[in-house]
mmCIF file of all heavy atoms in Angstrom:
data_model
loop_
_atom_site.group_PDB
_atom_site.id
_atom_site.type_symbol
_atom_site.label_atom_id
_atom_site.label_comp_id
_atom_site.label_asym_id
_atom_site.label_seq_id
_atom_site.Cartn_x
_atom_site.Cartn_y
_atom_site.Cartn_z
ATOM 1 N N ASN A 1 87.090 93.335 92.147
ATOM 2 C CA ASN A 1 87.153 91.955 91.649
ATOM 3 C C ASN A 1 88.300 91.701 90.777
ATOM 4 O O ASN A 1 88.688 90.543 90.509
ATOM 5 C CB ASN A 1 85.842 91.630 90.911
ATOM 6 C CG ASN A 1 84.684 91.315 91.827
ATOM 7 O OD1 ASN A 1 84.866 90.870 92.978
ATOM 8 N ND2 ASN A 1 83.528 91.613 91.365
ATOM 9 N N GLN A 2 88.949 92.772 90.320
ATOM 10 C CA GLN A 2 90.130 92.677 89.452
ATOM 11 C C GLN A 2 91.462 92.659 90.281
ATOM 12 O O GLN A 2 92.512 92.373 89.778
ATOM 13 C CB GLN A 2 90.230 93.744 88.429
ATOM 14 C CG GLN A 2 88.992 93.893 87.512
ATOM 15 C CD GLN A 2 88.985 95.107 86.668
ATOM 16 O OE1 GLN A 2 89.932 95.730 86.546
ATOM 17 N NE2 GLN A 2 87.820 95.375 86.011
ATOM 18 N N MET A 3 91.335 93.094 91.549
ATOM 19 C CA MET A 3 92.505 93.327 92.379
ATOM 20 C C MET A 3 92.853 92.102 93.229
ATOM 21 O O MET A 3 91.962 91.296 93.561
ATOM 22 C CB MET A 3 92.314 94.551 93.325
ATOM 23 C CG MET A 3 91.805 95.774 92.649
ATOM 24 S SD MET A 3 93.090 96.480 91.562
ATOM 25 C CE MET A 3 94.170 97.303 92.748
ATOM 26 N N PRO A 4 94.122 91.944 93.643
ATOM 27 C CA PRO A 4 94.518 90.816 94.512
ATOM 28 C C PRO A 4 93.944 91.145 95.894
ATOM 29 O O PRO A 4 93.828 92.311 96.261
ATOM 30 C CB PRO A 4 96.073 90.831 94.474
ATOM 31 C CG PRO A 4 96.358 92.221 94.083
ATOM 32 C CD PRO A 4 95.309 92.689 93.150
ATOM 33 N N LYS A 5 93.717 90.116 96.662
ATOM 34 C CA LYS A 5 93.215 90.311 98.035
ATOM 35 C C LYS A 5 94.254 90.835 98.985
ATOM 36 O O LYS A 5 95.430 90.357 98.889
ATOM 37 C CB LYS A 5 92.738 88.931 98.572
ATOM 38 C CG LYS A 5 91.983 88.999 99.927
ATOM 39 C CD LYS A 5 91.434 87.654 100.227
ATOM 40 C CE LYS A 5 90.640 87.717 101.557
ATOM 41 N NZ LYS A 5 90.109 86.397 101.867
ATOM 42 N N VAL A 6 93.950 91.769 99.821
ATOM 43 C CA VAL A 6 94.929 92.273 100.756
ATOM 44 C C VAL A 6 95.325 91.218 101.693
ATOM 45 O O VAL A 6 94.539 90.457 102.213
ATOM 46 C CB VAL A 6 94.251 93.505 101.557
ATOM 47 C CG1 VAL A 6 95.225 93.871 102.730
ATOM 48 C CG2 VAL A 6 93.972 94.724 100.671
ATOM 49 N N GLY A 7 96.682 91.053 101.869
ATOM 50 C CA GLY A 7 97.151 90.016 102.706
ATOM 51 C C GLY A 7 97.690 88.752 101.933
ATOM 52 O O GLY A 7 98.345 87.942 102.429
ATOM 53 N N SER A 8 97.286 88.774 100.608
ATOM 54 C CA SER A 8 97.723 87.628 99.774
ATOM 55 C C SER A 8 99.156 87.855 99.271
ATOM 56 O O SER A 8 99.641 88.939 99.168
ATOM 57 C CB SER A 8 96.756 87.455 98.637
ATOM 58 O OG SER A 8 96.770 88.530 97.757
ATOM 59 N N VAL A 9 99.750 86.753 98.760
ATOM 60 C CA VAL A 9 101.098 86.816 98.201
ATOM 61 C C VAL A 9 100.984 86.887 96.704
ATOM 62 O O VAL A 9 100.271 86.111 96.067
ATOM 63 C CB VAL A 9 101.952 85.607 98.595
ATOM 64 C CG1 VAL A 9 103.282 85.640 97.896
ATOM 65 C CG2 VAL A 9 102.086 85.606 100.136
ATOM 66 N N VAL A 10 101.651 87.873 96.174
ATOM 67 C CA VAL A 10 101.640 88.105 94.668
ATOM 68 C C VAL A 10 103.046 87.998 94.032
ATOM 69 O O VAL A 10 104.020 88.179 94.759
ATOM 70 C CB VAL A 10 100.903 89.410 94.242
ATOM 71 C CG1 VAL A 10 99.485 89.405 94.655
ATOM 72 C CG2 VAL A 10 101.713 90.576 94.915
ATOM 73 N N GLU A 11 103.137 87.847 92.767
ATOM 74 C CA GLU A 11 104.390 87.834 92.001
ATOM 75 C C GLU A 11 104.568 89.138 91.288
ATOM 76 O O GLU A 11 103.676 89.607 90.572
ATOM 77 C CB GLU A 11 104.394 86.694 91.030
ATOM 78 C CG GLU A 11 105.713 86.506 90.302
ATOM 79 C CD GLU A 11 106.766 85.815 91.171
ATOM 80 O OE1 GLU A 11 106.428 84.898 91.940
ATOM 81 O OE2 GLU A 11 107.884 86.315 91.081
ATOM 82 N N THR A 12 105.735 89.780 91.502
ATOM 83 C CA THR A 12 106.015 91.079 90.819
ATOM 84 C C THR A 12 107.381 90.916 90.136
ATOM 85 O O THR A 12 108.142 89.938 90.288
ATOM 86 C CB THR A 12 106.094 92.203 91.827
ATOM 87 O OG1 THR A 12 107.300 92.092 92.594
ATOM 88 C CG2 THR A 12 104.840 92.223 92.666
ATOM 89 N N LYS A 13 107.820 91.921 89.403
ATOM 90 C CA LYS A 13 109.115 91.950 88.785
ATOM 91 C C LYS A 13 110.204 91.984 89.781
ATOM 92 O O LYS A 13 111.411 91.643 89.516
ATOM 93 C CB LYS A 13 109.273 93.120 87.826
ATOM 94 C CG LYS A 13 109.126 94.499 88.509
ATOM 95 C CD LYS A 13 109.099 95.619 87.524
ATOM 96 C CE LYS A 13 108.861 96.981 88.119
ATOM 97 N NZ LYS A 13 108.790 98.084 87.154
ATOM 98 N N ARG A 14 109.959 92.301 91.019
ATOM 99 C CA ARG A 14 110.914 92.358 92.088
ATOM 100 C C ARG A 14 110.959 91.032 92.825
ATOM 101 O O ARG A 14 111.858 90.692 93.617
ATOM 102 C CB ARG A 14 110.613 93.431 93.089
ATOM 103 C CG ARG A 14 111.634 93.572 94.236
ATOM 104 C CD ARG A 14 111.391 94.818 95.049
ATOM 105 N NE ARG A 14 112.198 94.774 96.233
ATOM 106 C CZ ARG A 14 112.237 95.763 97.144
ATOM 107 N NH1 ARG A 14 111.555 96.898 96.917
ATOM 108 N NH2 ARG A 14 113.017 95.642 98.189
ATOM 109 N N GLY A 15 109.969 90.249 92.591
ATOM 110 C CA GLY A 15 109.845 88.915 93.367
ATOM 111 C C GLY A 15 108.489 88.838 94.032
ATOM 112 O O GLY A 15 107.549 89.617 93.785
ATOM 113 N N LYS A 16 108.390 87.911 94.974
ATOM 114 C CA LYS A 16 107.164 87.698 95.698
ATOM 115 C C LYS A 16 107.059 88.668 96.855
ATOM 116 O O LYS A 16 108.004 88.933 97.530
ATOM 117 C CB LYS A 16 106.984 86.224 96.142
ATOM 118 C CG LYS A 16 106.880 85.243 95.037
ATOM 119 C CD LYS A 16 106.615 83.874 95.600
ATOM 120 C CE LYS A 16 106.312 82.827 94.493
ATOM 121 N NZ LYS A 16 106.019 81.500 94.974
ATOM 122 N N GLY A 17 105.818 89.088 97.046
ATOM 123 C CA GLY A 17 105.550 90.038 98.181
ATOM 124 C C GLY A 17 104.113 89.910 98.585
ATOM 125 O O GLY A 17 103.260 89.303 97.991
ATOM 126 N N GLN A 18 103.810 90.558 99.717
ATOM 127 C CA GLN A 18 102.513 90.554 100.308
ATOM 128 C C GLN A 18 101.738 91.825 100.044
ATOM 129 O O GLN A 18 102.230 92.901 100.255
ATOM 130 C CB GLN A 18 102.584 90.274 101.832
ATOM 131 C CG GLN A 18 101.224 90.058 102.512
ATOM 132 C CD GLN A 18 101.321 89.794 103.973
ATOM 133 O OE1 GLN A 18 102.167 90.344 104.644
ATOM 134 N NE2 GLN A 18 100.511 88.891 104.489
ATOM 135 N N VAL A 19 100.486 91.714 99.592
ATOM 136 C CA VAL A 19 99.652 92.847 99.322
ATOM 137 C C VAL A 19 99.253 93.493 100.559
ATOM 138 O O VAL A 19 98.711 92.902 101.497
ATOM 139 C CB VAL A 19 98.427 92.537 98.454
ATOM 140 C CG1 VAL A 19 97.477 93.756 98.212
ATOM 141 C CG2 VAL A 19 98.788 91.846 97.186
ATOM 142 N N VAL A 20 99.512 94.876 100.758
ATOM 143 C CA VAL A 20 99.126 95.592 101.955
ATOM 144 C C VAL A 20 97.998 96.608 101.679
ATOM 145 O O VAL A 20 97.319 97.081 102.570
ATOM 146 C CB VAL A 20 100.275 96.244 102.583
ATOM 147 C CG1 VAL A 20 101.252 95.271 103.101
ATOM 148 C CG2 VAL A 20 101.012 97.241 101.613
ATOM 149 N N TYR A 21 97.865 97.050 100.371
ATOM 150 C CA TYR A 21 96.831 98.084 100.103
ATOM 151 C C TYR A 21 96.527 98.060 98.583
ATOM 152 O O TYR A 21 97.448 97.874 97.746
ATOM 153 C CB TYR A 21 97.339 99.494 100.510
ATOM 154 C CG TYR A 21 96.323 100.532 100.236
ATOM 155 C CD1 TYR A 21 95.146 100.742 100.912
ATOM 156 C CD2 TYR A 21 96.579 101.459 99.148
ATOM 157 C CE1 TYR A 21 94.246 101.728 100.598
ATOM 158 C CE2 TYR A 21 95.729 102.459 98.821
ATOM 159 C CZ TYR A 21 94.554 102.645 99.564
ATOM 160 O OH TYR A 21 93.655 103.635 99.250
ATOM 161 N N ASN A 22 95.257 98.285 98.237
ATOM 162 C CA ASN A 22 94.855 98.397 96.863
ATOM 163 C C ASN A 22 94.220 99.813 96.653
ATOM 164 O O ASN A 22 93.370 100.232 97.395
ATOM 165 C CB ASN A 22 93.761 97.406 96.481
ATOM 166 C CG ASN A 22 94.301 95.970 96.359
ATOM 167 O OD1 ASN A 22 95.351 95.788 95.846
ATOM 168 N ND2 ASN A 22 93.609 94.953 96.858
ATOM 169 N N ASN A 23 94.745 100.552 95.666
ATOM 170 C CA ASN A 23 94.187 101.815 95.276
ATOM 171 C C ASN A 23 93.243 101.554 94.122
ATOM 172 O O ASN A 23 93.632 101.385 93.035
ATOM 173 C CB ASN A 23 95.331 102.761 94.829
ATOM 174 C CG ASN A 23 94.790 104.210 94.563
ATOM 175 O OD1 ASN A 23 93.678 104.392 94.038
ATOM 176 N ND2 ASN A 23 95.595 105.181 94.867
ATOM 177 N N LEU A 24 91.954 101.531 94.501
ATOM 178 C CA LEU A 24 90.898 101.091 93.509
ATOM 179 C C LEU A 24 90.684 102.116 92.422
ATOM 180 O O LEU A 24 90.349 101.778 91.266
ATOM 181 C CB LEU A 24 89.566 100.835 94.204
ATOM 182 C CG LEU A 24 89.606 99.619 95.244
ATOM 183 C CD1 LEU A 24 88.275 99.488 95.831
ATOM 184 C CD2 LEU A 24 90.191 98.402 94.658
ATOM 185 N N LEU A 25 90.914 103.375 92.676
ATOM 186 C CA LEU A 25 90.705 104.474 91.653
ATOM 187 C C LEU A 25 91.756 104.379 90.608
ATOM 188 O O LEU A 25 91.543 104.534 89.456
ATOM 189 C CB LEU A 25 90.701 105.779 92.323
ATOM 190 C CG LEU A 25 89.349 106.081 93.106
ATOM 191 C CD1 LEU A 25 89.436 107.456 93.823
ATOM 192 C CD2 LEU A 25 88.160 105.978 92.275
ATOM 193 N N LYS A 26 93.055 104.209 91.039
ATOM 194 C CA LYS A 26 94.160 104.236 90.117
ATOM 195 C C LYS A 26 94.628 102.800 89.740
ATOM 196 O O LYS A 26 95.513 102.691 88.876
ATOM 197 C CB LYS A 26 95.390 105.024 90.746
ATOM 198 C CG LYS A 26 95.060 106.492 90.995
ATOM 199 C CD LYS A 26 96.265 107.173 91.607
ATOM 200 C CE LYS A 26 96.020 108.673 91.757
ATOM 201 N NZ LYS A 26 97.213 109.422 92.282
ATOM 202 N N LYS A 27 93.994 101.804 90.272
ATOM 203 C CA LYS A 27 94.355 100.429 90.039
ATOM 204 C C LYS A 27 95.844 100.178 90.263
ATOM 205 O O LYS A 27 96.568 99.689 89.467
ATOM 206 C CB LYS A 27 93.996 100.007 88.660
ATOM 207 C CG LYS A 27 92.450 100.013 88.328
ATOM 208 C CD LYS A 27 92.095 99.410 86.981
ATOM 209 C CE LYS A 27 90.640 99.357 86.778
ATOM 210 N NZ LYS A 27 90.266 98.755 85.486
ATOM 211 N N LEU A 28 96.221 100.612 91.497
ATOM 212 C CA LEU A 28 97.601 100.402 91.951
ATOM 213 C C LEU A 28 97.625 99.410 93.115
ATOM 214 O O LEU A 28 96.653 99.478 93.923
ATOM 215 C CB LEU A 28 98.271 101.749 92.389
ATOM 216 C CG LEU A 28 98.403 102.796 91.189
ATOM 217 C CD1 LEU A 28 98.931 104.092 91.787
ATOM 218 C CD2 LEU A 28 99.291 102.211 90.140
ATOM 219 N N VAL A 29 98.632 98.645 93.231
ATOM 220 C CA VAL A 29 98.784 97.704 94.354
ATOM 221 C C VAL A 29 100.086 97.925 95.115
ATOM 222 O O VAL A 29 101.154 97.986 94.493
ATOM 223 C CB VAL A 29 98.806 96.267 93.783
ATOM 224 C CG1 VAL A 29 98.883 95.208 94.963
ATOM 225 C CG2 VAL A 29 97.609 95.943 92.866
ATOM 226 N N GLN A 30 99.901 98.091 96.497
ATOM 227 C CA GLN A 30 101.102 98.284 97.264
ATOM 228 C C GLN A 30 101.509 96.875 97.825
ATOM 229 O O GLN A 30 100.650 96.223 98.424
ATOM 230 C CB GLN A 30 100.790 99.267 98.476
ATOM 231 C CG GLN A 30 100.626 100.670 97.954
ATOM 232 C CD GLN A 30 100.453 101.654 99.100
ATOM 233 O OE1 GLN A 30 100.486 101.252 100.254
ATOM 234 N NE2 GLN A 30 100.264 102.904 98.797
ATOM 235 N N VAL A 31 102.780 96.566 97.609
ATOM 236 C CA VAL A 31 103.251 95.211 97.964
ATOM 237 C C VAL A 31 104.440 95.334 99.027
ATOM 238 O O VAL A 31 105.313 96.161 98.758
ATOM 239 C CB VAL A 31 103.741 94.476 96.785
ATOM 240 C CG1 VAL A 31 104.275 93.039 97.139
ATOM 241 C CG2 VAL A 31 102.633 94.356 95.760
ATOM 242 N N LYS A 32 104.392 94.587 100.019
ATOM 243 C CA LYS A 32 105.501 94.561 101.063
ATOM 244 C C LYS A 32 106.466 93.504 100.826
ATOM 245 O O LYS A 32 106.072 92.343 100.586
ATOM 246 C CB LYS A 32 104.773 94.415 102.444
ATOM 247 C CG LYS A 32 105.926 94.492 103.615
ATOM 248 C CD LYS A 32 105.246 94.385 104.972
ATOM 249 C CE LYS A 32 104.765 92.950 105.274
ATOM 250 N NZ LYS A 32 104.379 92.856 106.683
ATOM 251 N N PHE A 33 107.748 93.878 100.813
ATOM 252 C CA PHE A 33 108.795 92.959 100.671
ATOM 253 C C PHE A 33 109.640 92.847 101.911
ATOM 254 O O PHE A 33 110.113 93.902 102.457
ATOM 255 C CB PHE A 33 109.731 93.325 99.508
ATOM 256 C CG PHE A 33 109.003 93.366 98.164
ATOM 257 C CD1 PHE A 33 108.476 94.584 97.685
ATOM 258 C CD2 PHE A 33 108.822 92.191 97.397
ATOM 259 C CE1 PHE A 33 107.863 94.595 96.465
ATOM 260 C CE2 PHE A 33 108.217 92.253 96.157
ATOM 261 C CZ PHE A 33 107.721 93.440 95.743
ATOM 262 N N THR A 34 109.753 91.675 102.517
ATOM 263 C CA THR A 34 110.539 91.521 103.751
ATOM 264 C C THR A 34 112.033 91.387 103.407
ATOM 265 O O THR A 34 112.385 90.498 102.648
ATOM 266 C CB THR A 34 110.030 90.246 104.513
ATOM 267 O OG1 THR A 34 108.677 90.408 104.775
ATOM 268 C CG2 THR A 34 110.790 90.170 105.913
ATOM 269 N N LEU A 35 112.814 92.314 104.040
ATOM 270 C CA LEU A 35 114.242 92.308 103.749
ATOM 271 C C LEU A 35 114.981 91.384 104.747
ATOM 272 O O LEU A 35 115.841 90.650 104.399
ATOM 273 C CB LEU A 35 114.803 93.736 103.849
ATOM 274 C CG LEU A 35 114.228 94.756 102.940
ATOM 275 C CD1 LEU A 35 114.797 96.143 103.154
ATOM 276 C CD2 LEU A 35 114.301 94.284 101.465
ATOM 277 N N ASN A 36 114.601 91.522 105.986
ATOM 278 C CA ASN A 36 115.115 90.639 107.019
ATOM 279 C C ASN A 36 114.087 90.556 108.157
ATOM 280 O O ASN A 36 112.978 91.065 108.013
ATOM 281 C CB ASN A 36 116.546 91.033 107.515
ATOM 282 C CG ASN A 36 116.562 92.543 107.906
ATOM 283 O OD1 ASN A 36 115.716 92.946 108.762
ATOM 284 N ND2 ASN A 36 117.497 93.293 107.363
ATOM 285 N N GLU A 37 114.519 90.064 109.296
ATOM 286 C CA GLU A 37 113.626 89.936 110.438
ATOM 287 C C GLU A 37 113.013 91.209 110.898
ATOM 288 O O GLU A 37 111.835 91.290 111.418
ATOM 289 C CB GLU A 37 114.323 89.147 111.570
ATOM 290 C CG GLU A 37 113.447 88.679 112.590
ATOM 291 C CD GLU A 37 114.117 87.787 113.645
ATOM 292 O OE1 GLU A 37 114.850 86.818 113.168
ATOM 293 O OE2 GLU A 37 114.124 88.122 114.833
ATOM 294 N N ASP A 38 113.767 92.295 110.805
ATOM 295 C CA ASP A 38 113.293 93.595 111.356
ATOM 296 C C ASP A 38 112.972 94.617 110.288
ATOM 297 O O ASP A 38 112.482 95.779 110.643
ATOM 298 C CB ASP A 38 114.357 94.150 112.292
ATOM 299 C CG ASP A 38 114.677 93.236 113.431
ATOM 300 O OD1 ASP A 38 113.728 92.741 114.007
ATOM 301 O OD2 ASP A 38 115.878 93.020 113.698
ATOM 302 N N ASN A 39 113.236 94.381 109.005
ATOM 303 C CA ASN A 39 113.080 95.456 108.038
ATOM 304 C C ASN A 39 112.305 94.987 106.783
ATOM 305 O O ASN A 39 112.305 93.752 106.437
ATOM 306 C CB ASN A 39 114.477 95.925 107.476
ATOM 307 C CG ASN A 39 115.294 96.539 108.593
ATOM 308 O OD1 ASN A 39 115.009 97.597 109.069
ATOM 309 N ND2 ASN A 39 116.390 95.838 108.959
ATOM 310 N N PHE A 40 111.479 95.916 106.232
ATOM 311 C CA PHE A 40 110.777 95.605 105.036
ATOM 312 C C PHE A 40 110.614 96.876 104.141
ATOM 313 O O PHE A 40 110.789 97.891 104.720
ATOM 314 C CB PHE A 40 109.380 94.999 105.411
ATOM 315 C CG PHE A 40 108.516 95.971 106.167
ATOM 316 C CD1 PHE A 40 107.681 96.884 105.472
ATOM 317 C CD2 PHE A 40 108.435 95.969 107.546
ATOM 318 C CE1 PHE A 40 106.871 97.797 106.132
ATOM 319 C CE2 PHE A 40 107.599 96.822 108.167
ATOM 320 C CZ PHE A 40 106.850 97.782 107.520
#
């Protein structure tokens, strides 16, 4: 309940990105940043 939903867009120090995974034990969030059409 404290974590962002997987697939949602969040704000980070790097900018906006999409949540792809939540590590509930360590309270870590993996965020995907799209670089261009083919890379992230």
Side-chain angles (χ1 to χ4, degrees):
N1 283 332
Q2 300 172 14
M3 308 292 284
K5 187 175 181 180
V6 172
S8 64
V9 176
V10 295
E11 185 74 40
T12 71
K13 59 186 178 183
R14 181 174 171 175
K16 290 186 177 181
Q18 185 179 39
V19 178
V20 293
Y21 177 74
N22 288 318
N23 186 324
L24 299 182
L25 289 178
K26 296 182 177 181
K27 293 189 177 181
L28 298 175
V29 183
Q30 290 184 3
V31 181
K32 182 176 76 172
F33 299 95
T34 302
L35 302 179
N36 53 52
E37 195 172 303
D38 300 317
N39 297 292
F40 64 86

